[in-house]
Structures are given as structure tokens and as C-alpha cells.
Amino acid sequence: MLELNAVNSGYGETQVLYGMNVTAQPGRVLAILGRNGAGKSTTLKTIMGLLPTKSGTITFDGAPIAKRPFDIAKSGIAYVPETRDIFPSLSVRENLEIASKRFGDGAWTIERVIDLFPRLGERLDNGGMQLSGGEQQMLAIARALLMN
Ligand SMILES: Nc1ncnc2c1ncn2[C@@H]1O[C@H](COP(=O)(O)OP(=O)(O)OP(=O)(O)O)[C@@H](O)[C@H]1O
Ligand SMILES: [Mg+2]
């Protein structure tokens, strides 16, 4: 379970999140809705350690969440950035391999993500830049799944 309790966060002196409370339970899907600029991405960046929490607490499975994005990823939280951030100079296959090598040994394999997104399987040798927006989105989601 991932829990945000009274989290304040933002960019430098600009505060965006005021007392944010969120509980994400295992096996459930949680959606956060809001107008443009409301703070959805800021919430995710704060959970992922890309922005510092000014105050409040974030816990994951009952313990305080790690501080560094790398450790947070290692603890089992994967982030699909709005900007996708796939590696443009690497092929689809290489983008997938990087994710699976780092945090592999779980339920998700490259074969399994290709089953989910056959389109990626047809484009394994395409460069990261040679993909449509939706294909890049599939790759960003596939990469997150491969981190298990
Ligand atoms: N790097 C930044 N520096 C300063 N302010 C920022 C930065 N990124 C976002 N903001 C501001 O923080 C507020 C929340 O932005 P955020 O990206 O969280 O919105 P969002 O809910 O994800 O919106 P959208 O639906 O458009 O993606 C906005 O007012 C935005 O202008
Ligand atoms: Mg956003």
C-alpha cells in the first residue's frame, strides 16, 4: 500500500500540493483527476523522489519511502513519465533490455510485454525516435512493467 499523508510539495518557492492525502491499495486501480496544472504530475514526481517533500509523509508497505528515485524504483514503484523519456538513440529492443536487466527476475519479461503490446514486437529494431506518440507511450509502459 502506498500512502501520502498531508504532503506539501512543489517547485522551489512555488507550492503546488497542499496537504495531499492519497491511499493506493494493492490490486486496485487509483486514478487522480484534475484540470491542467492541478498537480497530478507533481504528485507522481513527489512520490518518485524527483521533487522533495516539503512536509508530510509518504509510506510504502508501512515504511517511509526511500529518498532517492533509484531506491524508490528498486523498492517496486515504477513511473511512466508524461513525457515518456524513452532513450531516443536506442532501439525499442535496447530500451526494453535496459529495463529488464536492471530489475528483472520478476513476473514481467520482454516476451510478456510484447504479448501485451504486439506493436512493439513489430518494431523492435526501430529507434526510440522512430515511433509514433502512442507507440512511445506503449514503450514507456512496457519499460515500467519490466521493472516489476
Ligand atoms: N518545473 C516546474 N517549475 C515550476 N512550476 C512548475 C513546474 N512544473 C509544473 N509547474 C507548475 O505546477 C503546477 C502543477 O503542474 P502539474 O504538472 O503537476 O500539473 P498536472 O495536473 O499534471 O497538469 P496536466 O494535466 O496539464 O498534465 C502548475 O501550475 C504548473 O505550472
Ligand atoms: Mg501532468
Side-chain angles (χ1 to χ4, degrees):
M1 188 160 83
L2 177 71
E3 226 172 341
L4 275 67
N5 189 18
V7 167
N8 294 322
S9 176
Y11 305 87
E13 289 180 3
T14 306
Q15 187 168 346
V16 175
L17 303 185
Y18 292 86
M20 181 86 177
N21 297 305
V22 176
T23 303
Q25 293 173 0
R28 304 285 297 270
V29 174
L30 173 76
I32 299 174
L33 309 181
R35 59 173 169 72
N36 296 128
K40 304 177 296 294
S41 295
T42 302
T43 302
L44 297 184
K45 287 185 229 167
T46 303
I47 292 169
M48 210 58 215
L50 299 168
L51 288 175
T53 304
K54 290 187 207 292
S55 65
T57 56
I58 305 179
T59 58
F60 184 45
D61 287 342
I65 198 168
K67 292 259 182 288
R68 300 180 303 174
F70 178 87
D71 292 322
I72 293 169
K74 219 167 160 183
S75 74
I77 298 179
Y79 175 54
V80 180
E82 189 169 36
T83 45
R84 301 173 189 127
D85 299 1
I86 59 180
F87 294 108
S89 60
L90 300 184
S91 67
V92 169
R93 180 185 282 105
E94 289 165 336
N95 269 278
L96 295 174
E97 281 174 351
I98 281 183
S100 69
K101 278 188 183 141
R102 183 154 289 221
F103 296 109
D105 300 335
W108 286 94
T109 60
I110 292 182
E111 293 70 37
R112 196 170 161 210
V113 296
I114 289 172
D115 270 351
L116 185 64
F117 297 118
R119 191 107 182 168
L120 291 181
E122 294 163 16
R123 283 165 177 68
L124 285 173
D125 295 318
N126 278 44
M129 276 192 328
Q130 300 166 319
L131 296 173
S132 75
E135 288 166 351
Q136 290 179 41
Q137 193 72 34
M138 291 177 210
L139 182 52
I141 295 169
R143 186 181 53 185
L145 292 171
L146 281 171
M147 290 168 74
N148 287 292

